[in-house]
Amino acid sequence: MHHLTLIPGDGVGPEVTAAAVRCIEATGVRVQWDVVQLGSGAKKKYGSELPREALAVIKRNKVALKGPVTTPVGEGFRSVNVQLRQALDLFANVRPATSLPGVRTPYNAVDLIVIRENLEDLYAGIEFKKGTFKGLPRDTAVSLKVISERNTKRIAHFAFTYAQNHHRKKITCVHKANILKATDGLFLAIARHVSEHYPRIYFEDRIVDAMAMQLVMKPQDYDVLLCPNLYGDILSDLCAGLVGGLGLLPSANIGERGAIFEPVHGSAPKYAGKHKVNPTAAILAGALMLRFVGEEKAASALERATKAVIKEGKYVTYDIARRKPVSTTRMTEAIVNRL
Ligand code: NAD
């Protein structure tokens, strides 16, 4: 029996995490879930977007399955995701983007892994509102880009170890070190230095703007991308677009003392409660979580069943449907039946 935390989240979060839980249960793996609320829902109910009790449960159980949470744009509380990743030291974010038979896209052999530093960069949260940063004009706001040697080393070693363990051949470090010499220059120099410890993995680097174009034109030429936080966030959505959209991509946030698994997509507020969105990203996040807790057989079975339902194309949601789409629940049922 595994003791895990479930964070349903906001918007479509409860729908897609319920789908993932149903599928995990159908694999036969026994889980006792502790359910905690975070995000806008928690803010309304408990007065805090990240209640202390919820954080204690997540820390105690070490592994969680999470739905997306809504973050107010340009105002209000700091992103719960950023706060959570920092509070739990989840320094590595892993987002696999792989072509799925049955999903129509411009390319059919995309197999990318975006590995992203998850704590620093412009997401460190060191911001100065207009007029509060000494030495700059009063009409200016400032956000600091933070890159440390320690965290870059950690993520670079993580990426190379991941590549080795998953039989990957190449790591491309993404940066803008031609302009941001101090910060991205440090990220690149450390990644290059770390690469010397892994002679069997080919190492190269790309400037982020050129990388974006290359990914759209020749995604098959790339394998594992090692990115600072912001570029990894943006490029992983681009990679989602290459393989069929945000409804398909899972994500793992990994630290030395725990991990949180979630879909890459957000809370998609306009679809909340409509049971319309694709549960695949959350279900595949559940599969990554099963593998992390040692349930390899169940994880592979869940991935196979999900891919089979997508390939068949009979019971899939609106975003990838070639004929009449079905609801989140119906697609989930089809996956459960396959299992
Ligand atoms: P979003 O990912 O919620 O939705 C953008 C669009 O992507 C949707 O309108 C829909 O067309 C599509 N989409 C998303 N999920 C889908 C699914 N499962 N199936 C089919 N289509 C899907 O992005 P947004 O609208 O920019 O953000 C909404 C909120 O989510 C914001 O508050 C944002 O901060 C938050 N967010 C949270 C997380 C997280 O918790 N990990 C991640 C990203 C965004």
Side-chain angles (χ1 to χ4, degrees):
M1 169 80 83
H2 299 277
H3 217 118
L4 307 174
T5 305
L6 177 67
I7 307 162
D10 300 315
V12 298
E15 296 159 46
V16 294
T17 51
V21 166
R22 258 189 92 183
C23 290
I24 289 167
E25 281 168 2
T27 65
V29 172
R30 292 180 60 224
V31 177
Q32 189 179 327
W33 298 101
D34 284 327
V35 183
V36 302
Q37 299 293 336
L38 302 181
S40 292
K43 179 92 182 163
K44 273 187 209 136
K45 212 163 158 187
Y46 307 110
S48 165
E49 67 277 12
L50 184 54
R52 207 179 312 154
E53 298 75 15
L55 192 58
V57 172
I58 299 168
K59 277 188 177 164
R60 190 185 64 222
N61 288 341
K62 294 191 171 61
V63 177
L65 180 66
K66 174 183 163 297
V69 291
T70 301
T71 305
V73 176
E75 55 174 25
F77 60 80
R78 268 185 78 205
S79 159
V80 171
N81 293 314
V82 171
Q83 290 189 55
L84 197 56
R85 290 164 192 170
Q86 291 179 345
L88 300 171
D89 194 34
L90 302 173
F91 68 94
N93 187 287
V94 182
R95 296 182 166 184
T98 310
S99 296
L100 294 163
V103 181
R104 260 196 231 135
T105 56
Y107 304 103
N108 57 15
V110 176
D111 188 12
L112 294 160
I113 310 276
V114 181
I115 297 188
R116 150 186 172 202
E117 197 288 320
N118 217 15
L119 304 173
E120 302 192 324
D121 197 358
L122 281 162
Y123 291 10
I126 307 175
E127 296 203 292
F128 299 85
K129 289 202 169 127
K130 190 181 78 170
T132 63
F133 194 83
K134 251 191 171 164
L136 284 179
R138 292 195 58 76
D139 66 347
T140 306
V142 172
S143 297
L144 291 187
K145 181 173 171 96
V146 178
I147 301 283
S148 73
E149 207 169 288
R150 172 178 181 261
N151 280 324
T152 308
K153 241 186 219 164
R154 272 207 296 182
I155 192 67
H157 277 294
F158 178 93
F160 278 96
T161 309
Y162 184 98
Q164 255 179 1
N165 294 345
H166 291 80
H167 313 291
R168 296 285 177 154
K169 297 193 165 47
K170 178 166 92 166
I171 288 193
T172 307
C173 177
V174 184
H175 61 85
K176 188 79 188 175
N178 50 334
I179 309 289
L180 303 167
K181 294 178 197 290
T183 47
D184 282 16
L186 180 64
F187 191 89
L188 175 59
I190 290 174
R192 191 174 280 139
H193 183 69
V194 168
S195 76
E196 289 163 13
H197 296 276
Y198 303 87
R200 281 165 50 200
I201 311 280
Y202 181 75
F203 178 77
E204 63 176 17
D205 70 279
R206 290 281 182 279
I207 293 175
V208 62
D209 36 357
M211 184 77 242
M213 185 209 63
Q214 293 277 331
L215 282 173
V216 171
M217 295 195 67
K218 297 193 273 186
Q220 297 93 332
D221 285 4
Y222 295 90
D223 190 352
V224 178
L225 309 182
L226 167 60
C227 310
N229 209 337
L230 177 66
Y231 310 146
D233 194 8
I234 296 170
L235 291 182
S236 56
D237 271 31
L238 187 156
C239 293
L242 289 173
V243 299
L246 281 170
L248 299 170
L249 245 63
S251 148
N253 302 282
I254 298 175
E256 281 155 24
R257 292 184 298 277
I260 295 185
F261 297 83
E262 61 184 340
V264 163
H265 65 77
S267 56
K270 70 177 176 191
Y271 292 119
K274 297 198 170 141
H275 297 277
K276 214 182 142 175
V277 296
N278 197 329
T280 300
I283 292 170
L284 293 180
L288 293 181
M289 185 185 71
L290 285 174
R291 185 164 290 123
F292 187 84
V293 298
E295 299 286 357
E296 172 59 42
K297 245 173 104 178
S300 298
L302 182 49
E303 285 167 350
R304 273 198 309 276
T306 309
K307 287 174 187 171
V309 166
I310 291 173
K311 188 172 178 191
E312 186 192 32
K314 215 166 151 189
Y315 301 109
V316 295
T317 47
Y318 79 95
D319 53 324
I320 56 169
R322 282 167 288 164
R323 33 189 142 160
K324 199 169 176 286
V326 301
S327 68
T328 310
T329 323
R330 185 69 194 86
M331 183 170 176
T332 308
E333 257 164 34
I335 296 168
V336 166
N337 291 341
R338 280 273 174 175
L339 274 165

